[in-house]
Amino acid sequence: MSLFQDKKIILGVCGGVAAYKSVELLRLLIKAGAQVQVVMTPSAEQFVAPMTFQALSGNPVRSDLFDKAAEAGMGHIELARWADLILIAPVTANTIAKISRGIADNLLTTVCLASAAPLILAPAMNQQMWRSEANQDNIQRFKSRTSIHLIGPAMGEQACGDNGPGRMEEPEPIMRFCEQLLQQLQEQQSLSEQLKGKKLLITAGPTIEDIDPVRYISNRSSGKMGYAIAQAAYEAGAEVSLISGPVVLDAPEGVDCYKIRSALQMHKRVFEQLDNVDIFIATAAVADYRPVATKAQKIKKTQDSMTIELVKNPDILADVSAHNKKLFTVGFAAETTELEKYAQDKLDSKNLDMIAANRVGRDSNGQSMGFNSDTNELILFSKQQSGEITRTVLPKTTKQQLARELIKEIVVQYKNSHKNKD
Ligand code: C5P
């Protein structure tokens, strides 16, 4: 069945020459099985007659926010709630600016502000308008808005005679883009059904082991991966607690975050939070050793050499998996050499269900890998019920995207495992 079947789509049309392409787009949407309501900005009506869209969609076309007759039928808020997806093609620089700043001065921009549905924008404008600082500034603002997706503009000859970026994408690529997004939304929905009521406990960041009041032992972990996993798990519908060492990141929205400093504190906090946890994910770079004793006063440099005696920290992950054998446990292996071998050894020795291996250090261009970088690549080893170990590669991408992929993979493995209580 088509992913568009019975999907409720608002097709927004702004005032630009490319509005003629929206007619074909509407035809394709209807053909694919979507229910479409067309909303035009007042200036769009200068380019294509509403009657064309009405005839193709089978629904009255709306453009006036203050149309009493239309509001008596489906009011603008109902219209905003009705939509599964809003697609604006073409979207002009003017409407981009309004959406970016939350201005709602016509029906289309009001519906955008009042709707929780994902929004796809297919810009069309003169190349200079597209490149202008003001427009680029508005486009930049969309980067942090997860519900807004941009397709295009394409390069090429423009109606005004210029050549450059600003042509609206063609209807077929727009359809494929919408289809991919609908697919993602469907996957997200099924993920959130599977994670509903599930409790995840995640450790993140480094730990700090104090030597004296001013010095400590720690490592380069930024906590970015663990925080991204916590956010992805929450967005996917799980109840999430995060136990974090000192990092400069803000706690993800919706996640219960507990800050600790040392490995011993992290161990204690984890065990306090362990009740009813379904999945434990240890991303923290826990210091392996701590000073036997923390000096109460600053150590003075009176000697030519000095020795600090260290003692091993408890292995939080190994202790958790030994303590509760019904818990689904996921570990991380950050290694500079023999990555896959060490990762599999840890899967075995810590008795885990899954381990995510990532290379740390610097790549051939001197870029930081794993720790402290914004991107990462993971190799996952999962223990199956049969005892077989499967290997999956999650290719290099942003830590946010990687976290989403990892959560999906964890849910698949968790569902297949005997530890799943459903
Ligand atoms: O043994 P290693 O430190 O390389 O293992 C890494 C995995 O074990 C990570 O998942 C890390 O969060 C976890 N770990 C832990 N407590 C420790 C050491 C590591 O939970 N003391």
Side-chain angles (χ1 to χ4, degrees), residues 112 117 140 337 351:
C112 285
Q140 278 305 319
T337 56
N351 198 17

Side-chain angles (χ1 to χ4, degrees), residues 203 282-284 286-288 313-317 331-332 335 346 350:
T203 65
T283 71
V286 183
D288 291 328
N313 269 326
D315 191 311
I316 303 167
L317 178 56
F332 267 69
E335 302 290 345
K346 277 173 204 171
K350 299 190 191 219

Side-chain angles (χ1 to χ4, degrees), residues 342-414:
Y342 287 139
Q344 289 182 74
D345 287 352
K346 277 173 204 171
L347 181 75
D348 196 44
S349 66
K350 299 190 191 219
N351 198 17
L352 309 178
D353 296 288
M354 189 192 258
I355 193 143
N358 67 309
R359 204 171 290 285
V360 290
R362 300 212 169 262
D363 65 16
S364 50
N365 301 318
Q367 295 290 321
S368 181
M369 288 190 301
F371 278 12
N372 232 329
S373 74
D374 291 327
T375 58
N376 208 358
E377 175 185 74
L378 294 176
I379 303 170
L380 308 179
F381 294 98
S382 309
K383 202 185 291 157
Q384 305 300 315
Q385 284 210 46
S386 61
E388 186 204 351
I389 309 289
T390 56
R391 177 183 183 277
T392 313
V393 177
L394 301 184
K396 187 170 177 177
T397 180
T398 61
K399 286 187 173 172
Q400 280 69 25
Q401 185 53 29
L402 201 60
R404 286 184 211 117
E405 301 290 332
L406 178 65
I407 289 294
K408 270 195 237 165
E409 200 54 40
I410 290 174
V411 170
V412 170
Q413 296 299 334
Y414 171 69

Side-chain angles (χ1 to χ4, degrees), residues 107-118:
L107 181 63
L108 183 59
T109 49
T110 304
V111 164
C112 285
L113 202 59
S115 178

Side-chain angles (χ1 to χ4, degrees), residues 42-82:
S43 55
E45 294 181 1
Q46 304 295 322
F47 291 86
V48 181
M51 194 54 81
T52 313
F53 290 118
Q54 182 163 321
L56 281 170
S57 69
N59 286 315
V61 172
R62 307 261 318 254
S63 65
D64 190 355
L65 183 55
F66 304 105
D67 180 338
K68 286 204 185 77
E71 286 288 310
M74 194 189 278
H76 61 279
I77 299 293
E78 277 170 278
L79 189 61
R81 286 194 190 130
W82 171 87

